[in-house]
Amino acid sequence: MDRRRTLKYLAAGTALTGFLFTSCADDKKYQVAGVPKKAKNPFGYGRTPEELERDKNLSERSFFTSDEAALINVLADIIIPADEEYGAATDTDVFTFIDFMALDRPDFQIPLRGGLQWINQESRRRFNKEFVNISESQQIEIVEDIAYPFDAEPAFTQGARFFSILRDLVACGYFSSKEGIEYIGYMGNTPHVWDGVPQEVLDEHGLAYDQKTLDECVDQSKRNETMDWSGYEL
Amino acid sequence: MFQIKEQSPVYDVCIVGSGAGGGMAAKILAEAGLKIALMEAGPDFDPADPDSQTQLKWNYESPRRGASTPTRSFGDMDMAYGGWEIHGEPYTRKGDSEFDWFRSRMVGGRTNHWGRISLRFGPLDFKRKDFDGKGDNWPIGYEDIAPYYDKVDKLVGVYGTRENIPNEPDGYFLPPPKPRLHELYLKKGIKKLGIPVIPARKSVLTKRLNDSRGVCFYCQQCNRACNVYADFSSSSVLVKPAGETGNMDLYVDAMVREVLTDENGRATGVSYISRQDRQEYQIKSKVVVLAASACGTARIMLNSKSDRHPNGIGNSSGVLGHYLHDSTGASRSAILPELLDRTRYNEDGARGMHIYTPWWLNDKKDLEFTRGYHIEYGGGMYMPGYGVGFGMEHQNGRIPGKDGKMKKAGGYGLSFKEDVKRFYGAGIGFAGRGESVPQKDNYCEIDPDVVDQYGIPVLRFNYHWTKDEIMQAKHMQDTFEEIIHALGAVPNGEKPGADTNYGLEAPGRIIHEVGTTRMGTDKNTSVTNKYNQTHDVDNLFVMDGGVFVSQADKNPTWTILALAWRSSDYLIDELKKMNI
């Protein structure tokens, strides 16, 4: 490399070490080669073009039949019924979530479809009717035999396995929904300032921050002051 | 058939990869006035771009409630485009080897989603062979890298506390956030055992660092990439300012295949396949810097064969790809009964742990393994998403209910609904992350039979853990059990035993893979010199984790950043002296 040119580069560089901050991501100050076109995104969160295509496709399809959907909904409300304040599983449309998961993760398909068949077979064997058509107390009689996997009789272990999978999905569908999050009491996902466990909670647990911790942790009243290293020694 | 297209300008430096190492090189070299081509295999990415944003989105906005997918291994909201498998870009394993390779194809690479745990290596970590006779010493010591750790601290920002622990060097720390409730319990219980617990060290801005980045607003979601740049991502902290010098062109969706050389074997640029049109292009440059990740860089070098470099560029030693090593990892979880039915409040903090345990047994000689590990702690009231309420049958039958009576595991109805609420936020987790002993026999090579969809030969992995790592995992499990008992917690599942190597994760799973282009003074046993410059080709540098001689029990990012900065300074100096 030509020596003078090198020096020129280096000298030019010293003048350019400062830079401007822009909050707008599209306002590039430099050339980007090879950028693809952006696809329209009907989902409310960032997706790559490959993900968009797959998710759109899955959202437009359904795995379960309408009969299977009805049975899932009955079981879902047995697993999570309404209480005085909050709704039941079907109030949060857990079926749509479960149906999507069966397409998203095909490993769910046979255990779920087969499990629903198992339930109906058991219902016909005992009561000569499909599960959705028997009385509530008859439904509970079957559910009692499969809801406790470690206590299930040998004749019901497959049913218990199915029920555990469905219980997972129903619980997840409910507790990750807007209503379920309110019920469970999660209060985050919003900008805030974490300044430690509230005093009344510390008191409840008989815990306290020691002085060292209080001294070394961030003073949140000064969080927006630029860090000053003067006097800082290693 | 293909017309190879040469891009017009001749750059001073072509940098391959825009993660921690490539981003740092781009920033330092562009700010020094050099003309840079920065090559990235994935799309452009800026954490502030609302189109790609997942931060502050609710999991219920995802039809799968945030579950992982083949394209987002760590969940639908995680900001890593890629994962353990990338469609069309396979890798293989030889025999019964285990190795999983996590790749992230986007500007900033894996720094967009990582855990932000930012630990300096200590003096011992560069000279482990002197103490246990295993592996090799680094050609540099702590004193060589310390000034660069200082600079990285001040440029990037890291919170922590000065503890004066011999092999856990202090840095220029921002003040840490306060521990959460489960962390107060952990501190109290673990102290009784004589195991240290100190504030975490993470590159999250708890205080304003400069005018170009925001301050943490405690959403707990660093893995989703931060819209206000309050944590470290190469995309926001390094690549963006590098671009704003006006001295850098960024090439995205550019899969670099090989380093081009002249008749003397010196690097003249790179060739790449555009993912958009699958055409082959060339970039000409006076210097090439590879920072495509330890294995990505090894793959490019092994594929860069010529008369002068018959075994791949920079590989006259034959050790290119060898000494590949990842951190060890093992974990356990438990339920802390004091946290059942806990009072609700917004507990979101900085992502992950606010406290951790650094390795505390450096002086103990009678362990059945020689290298240490640190412990990361988890827990708290997280945003419910995919997995919430799962496996209740493994919890509610093991702890008495509110009425003090045991009940049958599983269930349904209102009692089940209440149980999910009762157990929410009561879990605690332990993850050991340890140092493995690098082995020449653990390596990646080019698979003679397989190419990816761009026609580029792929990597084949050969990797087995040794007794050192397995016995270290056993020690982790013993420690976790000891802590769980000291806390009066109820462990989940059985303690992993010898049949599972004590829960030791497969190599690659901790995503700290390094060592494939290790540095050294002897050109017969190393690929680069102590300034990350290849022994064989003076204008070819490696600035990613490949140059690590050994990994320490520290996460590698801070050391990648410091070494890339040091190497960039050296490169500028060598250019000034006309040595390159």
Side-chain angles (χ1 to χ4, degrees):
Chain A
M1 182 185 276
D2 176 86
R3 188 180 176 84
R4 263 183 313 183
R5 268 186 70 198
T6 311
L7 291 173
K8 202 178 88 189
Y9 282 145
L10 294 170
T14 52
L16 289 166
T17 46
F19 57 89
L20 293 165
F21 176 66
T22 59
S23 58
C24 179
D26 289 333
D27 186 18
K28 289 276 184 202
K29 297 234 177 321
Y30 50 99
Q31 184 198 328
V32 182
V35 182
K37 279 182 199 148
K38 274 177 188 160
K40 273 194 182 159
N41 179 359
F43 300 94
Y45 63 110
R47 305 277 74 200
T48 65
E50 183 188 7
E51 290 169 335
L52 264 184
E53 196 186 319
R54 181 167 183 270
D55 287 357
K56 270 190 201 163
N57 182 288
L58 294 182
S59 302
E60 284 160 9
R61 289 159 53 202
S62 190
F63 174 70
F64 293 108
T65 65
S66 54
D67 284 350
E68 287 170 330
L71 178 50
I72 286 174
N73 280 330
V74 169
L75 287 165
D77 282 354
I78 290 172
I79 291 169
I80 298 192
D83 54 41
E84 284 154 18
E85 216 178 324
Y86 291 91
T90 51
D91 294 323
T92 61
D93 194 16
V94 294
F95 173 75
T96 300
F97 163 67
I98 295 169
D99 193 48
F100 183 90
M101 290 314 298
L103 293 168
D104 194 38
R105 296 192 172 181
D107 284 353
F108 278 128
Q109 292 178 0
I110 291 171
L112 287 175
R113 175 157 283 160
L116 294 169
Q117 289 278 85
W118 186 97
I119 291 273
N120 270 334
Q121 277 158 22
E122 188 61 24
S123 176
R124 282 196 295 269
R125 191 181 68 78
R126 290 193 203 187
F127 308 111
N128 224 3
K129 282 182 197 165
E130 308 242 306
F131 191 83
V132 294
N133 297 321
I134 58 179
S135 71
E136 258 177 61
S137 61
Q138 287 170 330
Q139 287 172 341
I140 294 301
E141 190 187 312
I142 293 175
V143 167
E144 272 291 322
D145 285 334
I146 56 176
Y148 306 98
F150 305 122
D151 300 287
E153 297 292 332
F156 303 125
T157 52
Q158 290 92 350
R161 182 76 202 108
F162 159 72
F163 195 80
S164 292
I165 296 171
L166 188 68
R167 181 174 48 218
D168 279 353
L169 288 171
V170 169
C172 176
Y174 179 76
F175 288 103
S176 63
S177 73
K178 200 171 179 189
E179 177 183 316
I181 285 171
E182 218 181 293
Y183 174 86
I184 214 168
Y186 170 70
M187 295 166 73
N189 195 34
T190 182
H192 81 131
V193 175
W194 167 255
D195 199 19
V197 182
Q199 189 58 47
E200 61 273 21
V201 177
L202 288 173
D203 295 345
E204 233 179 87
H205 289 266
L207 292 167
Y209 287 108
D210 56 54
Q211 196 56 46
K212 182 176 181 291
T213 300
L214 292 173
D215 291 344
E216 68 196 8
C217 286
V218 63
D219 174 353
Q220 295 291 18
S221 69
K222 295 181 178 159
R223 60 201 298 271
N224 278 310
E225 291 174 16
T226 302
M227 187 67 191
D228 178 10
W229 302 110
S230 57
Y232 189 104
E233 276 173 31
L234 282 187
Chain B
M1 189 169 76
F2 287 114
Q3 188 191 355
I4 295 174
K5 291 158 187 158
E6 280 190 34
Q7 304 284 337
S8 44
V10 175
Y11 293 96
D12 293 319
V13 186
C14 175
I15 300 168
V16 181
S18 64
M24 180 60 87
K27 181 172 191 295
I28 301 303
L29 299 174
E31 287 181 353
L34 297 166
K35 296 291 176 194
I36 306 298
L38 180 61
M39 316 301 294
E40 168 52 48
D44 194 10
F45 178 74
D46 182 333
D49 183 354
D51 285 343
S52 55
Q53 182 182 343
T54 57
Q55 189 184 28
L56 294 178
K57 303 292 183 182
W58 289 95
N59 288 324
Y60 56 71
E61 294 179 67
S62 152
R64 57 179 67 81
R65 306 290 163 91
S68 66
T69 69
T71 47
R72 302 240 187 182
S73 301
F74 290 174
D76 218 14
M77 300 286 180
D78 188 68
M79 201 50 79
Y81 300 164
W84 297 112
E85 305 291 338
I86 294 177
H87 180 70
E89 298 180 39
Y91 55 90
T92 63
R93 305 166 184 89
K94 195 172 184 185
D96 62 351
S97 279
E98 284 187 297
F99 192 85
D100 294 330
W101 188 18
F102 192 99
R103 291 167 290 178
S104 186
R105 298 268 190 252
M106 63 202 300
V107 165
R110 296 179 287 190
T111 65
N112 293 303
H113 88 137
W114 69 305
R116 271 76 180 185
I117 298 172
S118 304
L119 306 174
R120 294 180 177 210
F121 284 20
L124 261 176
D125 295 323
F126 294 95
K127 307 291 171 194
R128 284 281 174 190
K129 188 182 184 181
D130 288 348
F131 295 87
D132 66 13
K134 294 174 183 169
D136 283 294
N137 289 334
W138 287 61
I140 59 171
Y142 179 70
E143 62 286 357
D144 294 304
I145 195 173
Y148 287 94
Y149 279 140
D150 292 353
K151 288 158 77 143
V152 172
D153 288 354
K154 289 177 179 173
L155 171 74
V156 176
V158 50
Y159 75 71
T161 47
R162 283 169 288 179
E163 300 286 335
N164 208 17
I165 301 170
N167 198 44
E168 309 293 331
D170 296 329
Y172 285 86
F173 292 129
L174 303 171
K178 284 179 187 153
R180 284 161 291 205
L181 186 59
H182 66 278
E183 292 169 326
L184 290 175
Y185 272 108
L186 283 162
K187 267 178 80 168
K188 199 173 141 196
I190 295 167
K191 239 185 191 167
K192 286 188 279 186
L193 301 171
I195 296 173
V197 181
I198 64 171
R201 295 171 171 184
K202 292 190 144 204
S203 48
V204 173
L205 303 189
T206 53
K207 243 177 116 79
R208 189 168 294 283
L209 192 68
N210 55 45
D211 290 338
S212 63
R213 294 170 61 196
V215 180
C216 179
F217 54 76
Y218 301 99
C219 70
Q220 192 89 297
Q221 297 167 17
C222 295
N223 63 316
R224 297 182 178 192
C226 186
N227 274 244
V228 301
Y229 305 160
D231 57 14
F232 170 67
S233 293
S234 177
S235 47
S236 53
V237 180
L238 301 173
V239 175
K240 191 177 160 72
E244 285 162 352
T245 62
N247 290 328
M248 184 187 86
D249 290 334
L250 173 63
Y251 291 81
V252 296
D253 284 320
M255 285 285 298
V256 170
R257 191 188 62 195
E258 64 178 297
V259 178
L260 302 169
T261 50
D262 62 17
E263 65 278 10
N264 299 315
R266 295 186 83 238
T268 58
V270 302
S271 76
Y272 71 94
I273 319 290
S274 162
R275 295 162 78 98
Q276 297 300 317
D277 61 13
R278 290 174 192 268
Q279 299 292 303
E280 183 164 343
Y281 297 84
Q282 292 187 350
I283 297 281
K284 293 287 180 193
S285 66
K286 293 164 186 160
V287 176
V288 172
V289 171
L290 296 176
S293 84
C295 297
T297 289
R299 180 185 178 199
I300 293 167
M301 291 175 73
L302 288 163
N303 276 328
S304 304
K305 288 183 183 172
S306 60
D307 289 345
R308 293 295 299 262
H309 306 291
N311 300 316
I313 195 166
N315 193 23
S316 63
S317 64
V319 301
L320 174 60
H322 290 257
Y323 300 101
L324 168 64
H325 60 291
D326 185 24
S327 293
T328 58
S331 59
R332 193 85 196 273
S333 66
I335 300 160
L336 191 58
E338 285 90 339
L339 296 180
L340 293 166
D341 292 312
R342 56 188 297 193
T343 303
R344 276 21 176 190
Y345 51 94
N346 184 354
E347 201 185 31
D348 286 351
R351 175 91 183 152
M353 65 193 195
H354 288 182
I355 55 162
Y356 86 115
T357 290
W359 178 235
W360 67 102
L361 297 173
N362 273 316
D363 298 327
K364 206 163 158 58
K365 299 289 178 204
D366 57 349
L367 300 167
E368 291 171 281
F369 57 97
T370 61
R371 308 277 170 100
Y373 61 90
H374 72 253
I375 307 173
E376 302 171 7
Y377 300 105
M381 297 185 279
Y382 276 81
M383 189 201 312
Y386 189 76
V388 62
F390 272 33
M392 192 46 64
E393 68 273 22
H394 299 294
Q395 299 189 10
N396 66 355
R398 306 184 60 215
I399 295 179
K402 276 183 205 175
D403 57 4
K405 288 183 194 153
M406 296 302 285
K407 55 168 139 179
K408 286 198 282 183
Y412 64 96
L414 288 178
S415 132
F416 169 73
K417 191 178 182 182
E418 283 158 15
D419 277 348
V420 176
K421 188 174 183 176
R422 173 170 162 77
F423 281 82
Y424 171 68
I428 47 172
F430 309 85
R433 295 288 181 262
E435 177 174 5
S436 61
V437 181
Q439 307 290 326
K440 192 178 181 191
D441 288 342
N442 288 336
Y443 62 99
C444 56
E445 61 185 336
I446 298 300
D447 188 313
D449 299 320
V450 182
V451 296
D452 67 11
Q453 65 172 325
Y454 307 104
I456 307 171
V458 309
L459 285 181
R460 178 166 74 183
F461 291 96
N462 301 261
Y463 203 125
H464 296 92
W465 289 126
T466 70
K467 193 164 170 262
D468 264 293
E469 291 80 39
I470 294 165
M471 296 315 286
Q472 188 196 60
K474 179 176 188 292
H475 194 273
M476 290 180 191
Q477 295 296 354
D478 291 343
T479 305
F480 301 157
E481 191 111 319
E482 202 184 347
I483 296 172
I484 289 168
H485 286 150
L487 287 167
V490 180
N492 292 325
E494 292 296 310
K495 184 181 178 184
D499 55 327
T500 62
N501 282 343
Y502 308 97
L504 178 61
E505 299 270 5
R509 293 305 292 191
I510 309 305
I511 322 184
H512 294 167
E513 74 283 357
V514 295
T516 50
T517 55
R518 68 178 194 165
M519 57 165 64
T521 46
D522 182 352
K523 68 190 295 257
N524 295 312
T525 59
S526 58
V527 176
T528 73
N529 66 18
K530 64 179 179 177
Y531 292 108
N532 303 43
Q533 179 183 31
T534 60
H535 291 300
D536 296 349
V537 182
D538 67 353
N539 65 345
L540 177 64
F541 286 69
V542 177
M543 296 202 198
D544 54 33
V547 299
F548 284 36
V549 177
S550 55
Q551 212 295 92
D553 60 76
K554 322 284 168 65
N555 308 48
T557 307
W558 229 240
T559 302
I560 292 173
L561 290 169
L563 289 176
W565 195 333
R566 180 172 177 269
S567 176
S568 297
D569 278 358
Y570 169 82
L571 170 56
I572 293 166
D573 202 45
E574 287 294 284
L575 287 172
K576 261 192 228 174
K577 291 178 186 158
M578 307 297 291
N579 288 340
I580 296 175

